[in-house]
Amino acid sequence: MSLLSDNVYNQGVGRDEPKFKIWRNAGLLLTYKCNARCEFCYYNCSPEQGSLMPVDMAINAWQSLKDLAGDGTPAVSKVEPKIHITGGEPFLYWDKLIEILRKAKKSNLGPVDMIETNGFWAVDEKIVKDRIKVLDMSRLKISCDPFHQEYVAIEPVRQLAKTAKEVIGQGRVLVRWEKYLDKPIEMKNISADERNKRYVETLNDYPCRFTGRAAGMIAELVASQTVEQIAAQNCSGAFLDAKGVHIDPYGNIFSGTCSGIIVGNIAKRSLAEIWQNWQPSNDKLIETLFNSGPAGLLDEAIQAGYKPAQCYAGKCHLCTSIRQFFFDKGFYKTIVGPAECYQ
């Protein structure tokens, strides 16, 4: 288990200054492949994307998080580290998902905290019961919103929510968002203008982070902040206060939900080593974001040909837009990636 003082950044700041928090949860992106292509996806997931996390990588990441944060026992750590499995759509690879959970149990890693799904696969009650009974998890999270309803019929989602609650209990099933389970929004047989209107209404009810595909069309629909308004916002808090990381199928580590900004790779170094050695000055792009926010990247981007928009939906939208430009130009290849986050 690491202590705050084990991190090199923390060793160089004053006693009363904000510290780089220990990562205590990790999301394993089993795959970038998904049966949907939601406009608010943080990772550009789609049916065309490939990739699949190796079982050993998932287990190593799981164990590495425990080595970093402790195992949750009072003598070691008061907070139990948590792993959740997401994607893409993890249920596209049911056999691989089960293999990871069985190996984790055999390795005494405990149950996974949460598994996320859009529910497309829950076509009948028997399938749902059979699968839910063998999933060694604390919670099931079901994505249910107008963005998903553009691709996933409501019937299997309702079947999944109903049956899962019967099998494992209502408190262990989280529907995001229940409002749209009860009253789904028609998203398929409508005009583009009406669809865009419903996108905006949904974003007003439930704001999202504008990274990945979400920094595209829907961000433009709600863009209202000028660069000057965003310029005062740096990203120090986003890095220092991140509760955890996401790890993609290639082992790339993203701080919090900052998809497409690689802070390390679990296949090369343990999570503890990466956390202990992390500091903003390790990389120019991250240092700029930390101190000046995405607006600090503008001069370099403009000199290389980037054309700023009049308005953005926020600093994450600006950041993703500039990083997309850098990716297309081949800049910062070790940090701005992988291709799945930008294509």
Side-chain angles (χ1 to χ4, degrees):
M1 174 184 172
S2 295
L3 304 174
L4 286 176
S5 57
D6 292 330
N7 170 260
V8 293
Y9 172 81
N10 292 341
Q11 293 167 10
V13 299
R15 183 175 181 177
D16 297 326
E17 294 182 77
K19 304 297 189 297
F20 182 43
K21 305 297 188 297
I22 295 173
W23 296 325
R24 298 194 182 278
N25 63 69
L28 305 182
L29 277 73
L30 186 62
T31 179
Y32 282 110
K33 188 178 183 67
C34 188
N35 59 299
R37 190 197 302 271
C38 299
E39 288 294 341
F40 84 148
C41 182
Y42 297 166
Y43 295 99
N44 273 320
C45 298
S46 73
E48 292 75 35
Q49 297 281 32
S51 70
L52 181 61
M53 180 176 283
V55 173
D56 286 345
M57 178 180 287
I59 298 303
N60 289 341
W62 201 325
Q63 182 61 61
S64 192
L65 180 70
K66 289 203 164 196
D67 293 341
L68 169 63
D71 63 4
T73 58
V76 179
S77 172
K78 294 180 180 179
V79 181
E80 182 180 0
K82 294 181 179 180
I83 289 282
H84 66 275
I85 297 178
T86 181
E89 174 50 57
F91 280 76
L92 288 171
Y93 297 99
W94 169 253
D95 291 343
K96 188 68 68 173
L97 174 61
I98 287 298
E99 188 179 354
I100 290 171
L101 296 181
R102 286 175 177 165
K103 191 162 185 178
K105 187 173 184 177
K106 187 176 180 180
S107 302
N108 295 316
L109 294 175
V112 69
D113 176 57
M114 182 169 63
I115 300 175
E116 299 183 50
T117 180
N118 62 38
F120 81 98
W121 52 272
V123 291
D124 66 50
E125 184 178 9
K126 184 178 185 306
I127 289 176
V128 176
K129 283 185 176 180
D130 289 346
R131 290 190 169 186
I132 295 298
K133 286 177 181 178
V134 299
L135 288 174
D136 190 18
M137 63 181 178
S138 297
R139 296 177 294 165
L140 177 71
K141 183 177 180 180
I142 305 169
S143 298
C144 180
D145 52 67
F147 297 102
H148 282 92
Q149 286 167 358
E150 193 170 346
Y151 298 93
V152 181
I154 193 63
E155 290 80 11
V157 182
R158 284 176 169 165
Q159 178 72 73
L160 176 58
K162 175 179 178 293
T163 306
K165 289 175 182 178
E166 292 172 355
V167 175
I168 61 175
Q170 186 165 342
R172 294 174 60 193
V173 179
L174 172 64
V175 180
R176 196 198 65 171
W177 292 282
E178 202 93 35
K179 166 182 176 179
Y180 298 113
L181 184 68
D182 298 333
K183 296 181 179 180
I185 304 296
E186 174 58 55
M187 296 296 292
K188 295 182 179 180
N189 302 308
I190 56 177
S191 67
D193 287 344
E194 183 61 28
R195 186 169 58 249
N196 290 347
K197 178 184 175 183
R198 294 179 186 184
Y199 284 155
V200 172
E201 290 172 348
T202 303
L203 292 173
N204 287 336
D205 286 342
Y206 302 100
C208 77
R209 183 185 295 268
F210 294 106
T211 62
R213 189 178 297 116
M217 184 265 287
I218 63 166
E220 294 171 4
L221 289 175
V222 295
S224 62
Q225 298 181 43
T226 65
V227 170
E228 289 72 25
Q229 290 173 306
I230 297 172
Q233 305 173 41
N234 67 35
C235 300
S236 60
F239 285 108
L240 295 180
D241 297 333
K243 296 178 180 179
V245 296
H246 281 81
I247 304 172
D248 84 350
Y250 307 112
N252 296 313
I253 298 169
F254 309 129
S255 175
T257 54
C258 293
S259 63
I261 304 176
I262 300 170
V263 298
N265 190 292
I266 195 72
K268 298 176 181 178
R269 302 169 77 187
S270 72
L271 209 57
E273 288 180 283
I274 292 167
W275 179 86
Q276 289 165 3
N277 290 285
W278 183 90
Q279 60 178 333
S281 60
N282 286 344
D283 179 82
K284 179 185 174 184
L285 184 139
I286 291 178
E287 184 176 30
T288 300
L289 290 174
F290 186 89
N291 293 317
S292 305
L297 301 171
L298 268 172
D299 285 346
E300 179 184 1
I302 290 171
Q303 289 177 16
Y306 177 77
K307 299 185 184 304
Q310 286 188 334
C311 292
Y312 294 88
K315 72 173 183 176
C316 294
H317 182 197
L318 174 60
C319 181
T320 307
S321 176
I322 294 175
R323 285 188 284 107
Q324 180 69 60
F325 175 80
F326 285 163
F327 175 84
D328 294 340
K329 288 285 186 179
F331 296 174
Y332 300 104
K333 289 184 178 181
T334 60
I335 303 296
V336 178
E340 282 83 347
C341 288
Y342 295 93
Q343 295 177 343

